[in-house]
Amino acid sequence: MKRSTAAAAVLVIAASALIVLAYGFFRPEIAVVTLIIYVSTVIGLGLIALVISKLYLVNRSSVGADDFISIGEELNTEIVVWSDDFSYIYMNRQLRKLLGIADADKNDHLKLKNALVKAFGGEGLDTSVFDEITAGGTHETSFQNADGRQISIAWSTSIVKKRRKSSVYLSNGFNLTDLKKMKTSLASANDFFNSAMNLAEIGFIMSTDKKKYAASPEAVRMLGLSTGNVDLKAFRSLIDPSSRIQFDVAINSPPDSAGDVRSVELQIRSADGMYHWYSFRYKSIRATKNTPPLFGGALMDITQEHEKDLLIERLAYIDEVTEIANRNKLMDVGRETYETCHLLSCSYWIIVLDIDRFHIINDTCGYNNGNSILRDFAHILYKFVTPGGLAARISGDNFALLLRDLGDDDLPARTARSIQEEFAKLAVNDFSVINLSCSAGYSKMPEDGDSFLEVMEHAEFALKSASSTVGSISGYVPRMHDSIIGTAELEKSLALAIDNNELQLFYQPKINLSTGRIMGVEALIRWIKPDGTIITPDEFVPVAESSHLIGRISEFVLSEGCRQNKLWQTMGFPEIVMSINFTSSDFYQADLRDKVFEALAKSKLSPEWLEVELTETLALSDIDFAVSQMNKLRELGVKLAMDDFGTGYSSLSYLQILPITLLKLDRSFITDIQHDNIAYEIVAAVIRIAKSKKIETIAEGIENPGQEKILRDAGCDFGQGYLYGKPMPPDKLEEFFVKNAEKTAGKRSDGRK
Ligand code: C2E
Ligand code: MG
Ligand code: MG
């Protein structure tokens, strides 16, 4: 550039000199002057040019080649400026270092050229790489550096100067070596991660919107998915219907639960086409400024563990006799279901069922037959289980059915009726004489209680509050508790009533079925309010039992019963047995014998005319103590009767152990005895067995002559019921004595005319 400018200047000067000389030739007179002017003009112009050029160079020096080179030396990127005839090569320090060129050799042209071929991915003197490098775009090359490390550089080349013979280029390198290493290690980390998940057999599913799910390779493998992208519907369809509700709970758990890790066990159809058990541990991660919300979790096949668990569960949660769930299982499932109801705003029914008079069936038909009835009942219940529900045996003859509510309020009653119908059909072959029936109580959750236990207790409460004892179906209604709410009030006024002598004994006659003669009375307590209202014991005895008041009531009954009986004897009425009722709390008093002894002594009643009625449940609490208390009373000479026989859980075997003298058949058998074969069979069997043990029998609740006849024919000794007389005050009983004496006067003492 400088040379061409100088040549041009020389040419201009030479041409102008020739013109000046030619002018001097034609005008010799002014030739010398012209030459002087010319020479001085050339010198002047030269000086100006020099000054300008100096000035110009001074201005340009801020971006001069030297500066460019020194900047290039400091840059942390690889730079090479080269001409394609290789007459000029400048490499910056970064590139030289990479290629192993010492600073001393930075101008060694040959070394630089060989190094450049290498840097551009060529070998030896292969210059074809330069054509590729200059072809435009970015070119990735790789080579070994001086330390033997594989280096990768992306070159971007641009032309700096285009010349006819050779052009100058600037190649700017971007070192990819570290990036590539990072990428490789990331890829291997990913591989490592996938292999680890594969070894551990843990799959993942994740979703940002809970609609579309990304499944990890291991999840794809485990579930046999065709792709790693599945939508909710497709995923849900793989889940066993019985597990779907748990899955729904999982994905619908509120976003507040972000951070919580929950887990659920699901049965999911897997690659082998079978349902496997998976533990799904899941959580939600809230959205951040840069990331969307994330929901998902890890899936682990726990089929084997589950099978083991099933075995353990079988032992812990399956009822041995019926092979359906037991009470523990019901409580666990019930608690979970209760939670589910809250989470998913759904509801469930719990129906509690009781086989009517099962203990009697057990006693009369035998233990094995009893078990077989329990099993058959369980199978019937099982048929009514719908997804998410459960059938369980809670205890003895009590069962429960958990049913999903589908908005049909009649469902529990209808189901209970269907169960009753199915159950009644079982009364064939061995059980043809039995009327198989069951009663049911039901409640709804979550509305009928603050916990599953409470909801279930309310269903049981409904079952017990049903008026009819056989085949009742009763739904829980909160007002059933009204009577309980009034308990505290009742307790207070009962205490006052005792102080004010408002309690009185009524007496119900007991008749010798052979002679028709009165043989005794049962003292039944009444609370007669000052306004004349009579309150029956069913209304206040349970309240008295749950407080200390029962002790005072029993003391009154004992002393008044003895006093009245002695009075009748002294009045000349026939000698009869006075029966009084004791509750278990009375019976378990350590000084029971002393109290009875005192009452007899005080009234001067001979002990043979006093009988104590006890219920079966009483003997159940502590059989040894019960027997010892009974023996103490027997030693006094007092009689002992087993009341309401057949309503508790006792078995006939108690008759072997308990020192009782009389067995009172519960009214419920007598009510049905004319139409119900099983009731008759039971009564007849019990009478036979009692006779063989020298225990007398009395039937409660005889209301018509038909019942009386059957009982008499079956060998029952005594009868009590409205047929003879309702419980009545003492003066009415005195009238009864008289009438009874008249009526039976003509009869022989053995009952025959
Ligand atoms: P319980 O000892 O089984 O008494 C028999 C109940 O059956 C009596 O009811 C009696 O009135 C009723 N009954 C008798 N014959 C018939 C009949 O033919 N048809 C019908 N429908 N009912 C009949 P009550 O007097 O209401 O007594 C109910 C229960 O209260 C008694 O059952 C007994 O468990 C308890 N109780 C009564 N008095 C006392 C008492 O002084 N002390 C204690 N601890 N409990 C008592
Ligand atoms: Mg009684
Ligand atoms: Mg009774």
Side-chain angles (χ1 to χ4, degrees):
M1 167 116 177
K2 274 182 186 169
R3 250 186 273 165
S4 60
T5 313
V10 170
L11 272 174
V12 170
I13 291 167
S16 57
L18 272 175
I19 294 164
V20 169
L21 284 176
Y23 189 70
F25 183 75
F26 294 110
R27 299 275 309 267
E29 70 281 15
I30 56 162
V32 175
V33 177
T34 308
L35 192 63
I36 290 167
I37 293 167
Y38 171 71
V39 170
S40 53
T41 306
V42 167
I43 290 168
L45 283 172
L47 278 172
I48 290 165
L50 193 65
V51 170
I52 290 171
S53 79
K54 277 283 173 196
L55 276 173
Y56 180 62
L57 280 173
V58 166
N59 287 338
R60 281 190 48 160
S61 65
S62 57
V63 286
D66 289 347
D67 291 323
F68 171 77
I69 283 167
S70 60
I71 291 167
E73 288 300 282
E74 299 308 318
L75 283 178
N76 268 341
T77 175
E78 287 73 13
I79 287 182
V80 55
V81 181
W82 52 281
S83 62
D84 54 6
D85 61 358
F86 305 110
S87 57
Y88 179 78
I89 301 174
Y90 162 71
M91 277 184 195
N92 74 340
R93 187 182 292 140
Q94 173 99 353
L95 183 58
R96 288 198 309 273
K97 208 169 141 198
L98 207 59
L99 293 166
I101 295 172
D103 279 353
D105 297 332
K106 67 179 175 187
N107 296 319
D108 183 329
H109 201 76
L110 189 63
K111 271 193 182 162
L112 290 176
K113 185 181 172 190
N114 287 343
L116 192 58
V117 171
K118 184 174 163 183
F120 284 170
E123 265 176 36
L125 293 173
D126 173 17
T127 51
S128 63
V129 289
F130 293 96
D131 298 337
E132 289 164 27
I133 284 284
T134 54
T138 305
H139 289 267
E140 196 181 316
T141 64
S142 74
F143 56 90
Q144 264 192 355
N145 75 350
D147 306 334
R149 259 176 85 205
Q150 196 68 23
I151 304 293
S152 295
I153 293 191
W155 292 106
S156 132
T157 301
S158 48
I159 193 159
V160 174
K161 187 168 181 79
K162 208 174 173 81
R163 288 192 303 206
R164 213 177 321 128
K165 277 192 178 167
S166 74
S167 300
V168 179
Y169 296 90
L170 178 119
S171 298
N172 180 21
F174 182 72
N175 196 330
L176 300 171
T177 312
D178 288 344
L179 263 181
K180 284 214 157 192
K181 207 172 130 197
M182 215 188 296
K183 202 172 148 197
T184 317
S185 61
L186 268 180
S188 62
N190 203 20
D191 284 353
F192 174 79
F193 177 76
N194 281 336
S195 314
M197 293 304 109
N198 186 274
L199 279 175
E201 298 192 343
I202 298 175
F204 287 91
I205 59 159
M206 270 164 267
S207 173
T208 53
D209 58 1
K210 296 189 180 175
K211 286 183 191 120
K212 291 208 162 59
Y213 285 81
S216 73
E218 183 57 13
V220 169
R221 189 197 64 75
M222 291 193 304
L223 304 179
L225 302 173
S226 55
T227 155
N229 296 316
V230 265
D231 66 19
L232 175 64
K233 213 172 144 202
F235 189 67
R236 200 172 179 276
S237 71
L238 296 177
I239 299 171
D240 182 77
S242 63
S243 291
R244 280 184 196 159
I245 196 146
Q246 280 93 327
F247 179 69
D248 292 345
V249 170
I251 62 166
N252 287 307
S253 51
D256 307 13
S257 61
D260 280 15
V261 181
R262 295 200 189 162
S263 83
V264 66
E265 290 184 2
L266 306 169
Q267 250 187 310
I268 311 179
R269 202 171 52 239
S270 303
D272 58 3
M274 312 282 281
Y275 280 101
H276 287 221
W277 277 99
Y278 289 92
S279 156
F280 179 45
R281 273 174 64 81
Y282 61 94
K283 68 189 273 187
S284 305
I285 298 173
R286 288 206 187 103
T288 65
K289 248 194 263 165
N290 306 317
T291 54
L294 200 62
F295 166 80
L299 276 175
M300 223 164 90
D301 190 327
I302 51 159
T303 311
Q304 277 184 12
E305 289 77 358
H306 212 269
E307 273 162 11
K308 268 185 231 146
D309 287 351
L310 274 183
L311 210 74
I312 295 166
E313 182 171 307
R314 245 196 110 65
L315 299 173
Y317 289 127
I318 300 292
D319 175 60
E320 259 179 58
V321 177
T322 59
E323 303 205 320
I324 63 168
N326 63 11
R327 189 188 166 88
N328 292 343
K329 179 76 181 171
L330 175 74
M331 296 313 290
D332 280 4
V333 173
R335 276 189 285 263
E336 267 178 39
T337 313
Y338 189 86
E339 298 271 303
T340 306
C341 288
H342 276 301
L343 280 170
L344 296 185
S345 307
C346 59
S347 31
Y348 273 77
W349 296 102
I350 169 120
I351 309 177
V352 177
L353 300 117
D354 176 73
I355 300 180
D356 296 324
R357 296 175 314 203
F358 176 73
H359 45 286
I360 300 300
I361 300 172
N362 216 10
D363 286 345
T364 35
C365 301
Y367 187 73
N368 285 342
N369 283 330
N371 277 359
S372 130
I373 286 194
L374 289 176
R375 267 192 295 276
D376 290 343
F377 191 77
H379 290 157
I380 292 172
L381 277 200
Y382 206 73
K383 284 197 232 163
F384 290 88
V385 178
T386 47
L390 184 81
R393 179 178 174 216
I394 317 176
S395 66
D397 59 340
N398 283 153
F399 290 79
L401 189 61
L402 204 58
L403 279 186
R404 177 97 193 244
D405 168 45
L406 300 169
D408 169 10
D409 280 356
D410 199 32
L411 179 75
R414 206 174 50 243
T415 307
R417 273 196 300 278
S418 308
I419 292 169
Q420 286 176 336
E421 281 162 23
E422 292 266 315
F423 190 41
K425 285 187 210 153
L426 289 182
V428 286
N429 302 329
D430 287 352
F431 311 117
S432 55
V433 288
I434 309 174
N435 272 349
L436 291 177
S437 73
C438 65
S439 301
Y442 59 88
S443 58
K444 195 178 189 180
M445 67 183 173
E447 41 270 74
D448 282 341
D450 290 337
S451 65
F452 173 68
L453 185 64
E454 202 174 291
V455 175
M456 192 166 108
E457 280 171 356
H458 286 163
E460 285 172 331
F461 189 65
L463 171 70
K464 284 180 194 138
S465 358
S467 46
S468 149
T469 47
V470 173
S472 66
I473 299 174
S474 159
Y476 170 75
V477 272
R479 94 180 102 78
M480 283 175 170
H481 290 292
D482 290 356
S483 55
I484 291 171
I485 295 162
T487 300
E489 278 305 303
L490 191 67
E491 211 177 291
K492 263 191 237 159
S493 39
L494 180 61
L496 278 176
I498 298 172
D499 293 342
N500 298 337
N501 298 322
E502 288 173 21
L503 298 186
Q504 273 193 32
L505 288 184
F506 274 34
Y507 302 93
Q508 187 177 31
K510 294 172 164 186
I511 302 298
N512 183 321
L513 292 181
S514 311
T515 63
R517 285 196 192 129
I518 180 167
M519 53 69 66
V521 288
E522 179 174 6
L524 294 160
I525 198 156
R526 297 291 180 265
W527 174 2
I528 304 177
K529 292 199 164 176
D531 65 0
T533 327
I534 297 180
I535 303 176
T536 56
D538 285 337
E539 290 174 73
F540 67 89
V541 166
V543 177
E545 264 188 287
S546 60
S547 65
H548 62 282
L549 295 173
I550 193 67
R552 290 177 64 194
I553 293 177
S554 298
E555 271 173 34
F556 162 76
V557 174
L558 176 65
S559 61
E560 179 59 16
C562 290
R563 190 197 65 79
Q564 182 64 66
N565 204 13
K566 183 67 191 174
L567 180 66
W568 282 327
Q569 286 179 2
T570 47
M571 283 167 82
F573 290 114
E575 287 180 314
I576 54 160
V577 177
M578 168 68 66
S579 301
I580 57 165
N581 291 280
F582 270 173
T583 64
S584 43
S585 52
D586 295 321
F587 190 72
Y588 282 91
Q589 300 295 316
D591 60 354
L592 176 77
R593 178 204 167 275
D594 298 343
K595 280 183 178 157
V596 173
F597 180 79
E598 272 167 36
L600 288 169
K602 203 172 154 204
S603 63
K604 300 195 173 61
L605 180 74
S606 169
E608 65 197 290
W609 302 118
L610 180 68
E611 184 175 65
V612 172
E613 292 192 5
L614 309 161
T615 55
E616 297 171 78
T617 41
L618 178 149
L620 263 185
S621 326
D622 181 346
I623 187 90
D624 292 337
F625 189 68
V627 170
S628 92
Q629 290 284 72
M630 285 181 175
N631 281 332
K632 281 181 190 162
L633 294 181
R634 292 286 292 118
E635 280 158 19
L636 281 181
V638 170
K639 292 189 163 70
L640 288 179
M642 172 67 74
D643 203 355
D644 304 339
F645 188 83
T647 53
Y649 289 94
S650 74
S651 71
L652 287 167
S653 56
Y654 276 135
L655 300 185
Q656 313 265 27
I657 315 164
L658 304 178
I660 52 165
T661 45
L662 180 76
L663 197 142
K664 294 189 83 175
L665 292 158
D666 190 66
R667 198 170 78 222
S668 58
F669 300 108
I670 313 307
T671 311
D672 296 342
I673 201 162
Q674 286 167 289
H675 317 286
D676 183 351
N677 272 341
I678 178 81
Y680 172 76
E681 291 293 337
I682 289 164
V683 167
V686 170
I687 292 170
R688 269 199 310 276
I689 295 165
K691 267 204 174 3
S692 73
K693 305 264 171 251
K694 308 255 176 312
I695 296 169
E696 293 180 304
T697 47
I698 180 166
E700 295 179 318
I702 302 180
E703 293 186 352
N704 63 54
Q707 292 166 335
E708 183 191 50
K709 184 175 184 317
I710 293 174
L711 286 159
R712 189 189 296 119
D713 292 349
C716 185
D717 300 302
F718 313 113
Q720 178 183 351
Y722 293 171
L723 176 67
Y724 314 106
K726 289 191 174 178
M728 53 192 100
D731 55 332
K732 291 275 178 245
L733 196 94
E734 286 157 21
E735 288 171 20
F736 185 91
F737 271 132
V738 177
K739 279 191 201 147
N740 181 256
E742 288 166 7
K743 225 167 109 183
T744 56
K747 289 187 181 170
R748 288 168 30 169
S749 57
D750 61 3
R752 294 183 188 166
K753 286 202 177 162

